[in-house]
Amino acid sequence: MLPSIEVAKTLARLLETTVGYLLGEAANSNTFKDPAMLQRLNEISSLPEEDKRCILYTIDSLLQNARTKKAFAHK
């Protein structure tokens, strides 16, 4: 027996994850287990292209900074 879509949604909400994760579509990614992160990504993807470009540029810069700090911390 397979659960209905509504049952799958309820399970995902109770387990604080996504239906995709329950189905094994994102087994290797913690991003898709985090509904708050997924919501942020969905919000970004719904923005106009120029806004998306600016936000992603900023995120990329912050990630590069974090990687640099991590690299220097391990030396």
Side-chain angles (χ1 to χ4, degrees), residues 41-64:
L41 293 172
N42 284 329
E43 286 181 37
I44 292 169
S45 70
S46 69
L47 294 172
E49 286 302 315
E50 179 66 15
D51 291 341
K52 275 196 285 194
R53 190 183 63 73
C54 290
I55 289 170
L56 294 175
Y57 179 82
T58 302
I59 290 171
D60 289 343
S61 296
L62 292 168
L63 288 170
Q64 180 60 42

Side-chain angles (χ1 to χ4, degrees), residues 14-55:
L14 290 171
L15 296 171
E16 298 181 350
T17 190
T18 64
V19 173
Y21 179 75
L22 292 177
L23 295 173
E25 294 173 356
N28 295 327
S29 176
N30 286 330
T31 302
F32 296 109
K33 289 193 281 185
D34 182 352
M37 183 63 73
L38 205 51
Q39 176 62 34
R40 286 180 179 104
L41 293 172
N42 284 329
E43 286 181 37
I44 292 169
S45 70
S46 69
L47 294 172
E49 286 302 315
E50 179 66 15
D51 291 341
K52 275 196 285 194
R53 190 183 63 73
C54 290
I55 289 170

Side-chain angles (χ1 to χ4, degrees), residues 67-75:
R67 285 190 292 268
T68 302
K69 284 182 183 179
K70 186 177 178 181
F72 281 109
H74 284 74
K75 287 186 176 186

